[in-house]
Amino acid sequence: MKINKNDNKYIYVVVGRNIKRIRKAKGLTQVQLADLVQYNEGTIANIENNSYQTFSLEFIYVLSKKLDVPIIEFFKGID
């Protein structure tokens, strides 16, 4: 999905793509990630596929800690 950088949803698209990239690099399925962070697997799928409208910084923080990834990794590619 291509989204304009001026669109307010741009940050969610980029972060969602980064979550997917990091999850795959860690060898996890969406179900495994959902279990790890105690979220619904449908929510994870929606975030990764740009179907979810918003998510919190707390969610990104939890992902960072559970996946042992610097939080900045989730924001790569945001200009």
Side-chain angles (χ1 to χ4, degrees):
M1 174 182 177
K2 182 84 170 152
I3 190 164
N4 185 314
K5 291 180 180 183
N6 294 322
D7 188 311
N8 290 340
K9 303 282 187 230
Y10 175 72
I11 192 169
Y12 295 102
V13 172
V14 174
V15 172
R17 287 177 184 161
N18 285 327
I19 290 169
K20 185 175 187 174
R21 172 182 58 80
I22 293 164
R23 174 184 60 76
K24 286 185 170 191
K26 295 285 185 174
L28 298 171
T29 66
Q30 288 179 340
V31 173
Q32 290 169 323
L33 180 60
D35 288 344
L36 184 66
V37 297
Q38 299 180 352
Y39 268 69
N40 178 292
E41 75 179 83
T43 299
I44 301 296
N46 287 337
I47 289 170
E48 289 186 356
N49 296 314
N50 312 316
S51 301
Y52 203 73
Q53 296 296 318
T54 63
F55 43 87
S56 69
L57 286 174
E58 179 182 5
F59 173 70
I60 301 302
Y61 180 76
V62 169
L63 283 174
S64 173
K65 295 300 177 196
K66 294 288 186 174
L67 295 173
D68 194 30
V69 173
I71 201 165
I72 193 70
E73 284 295 313
F74 296 97
F75 297 96
K76 277 191 170 181
I78 297 174
D79 303 332

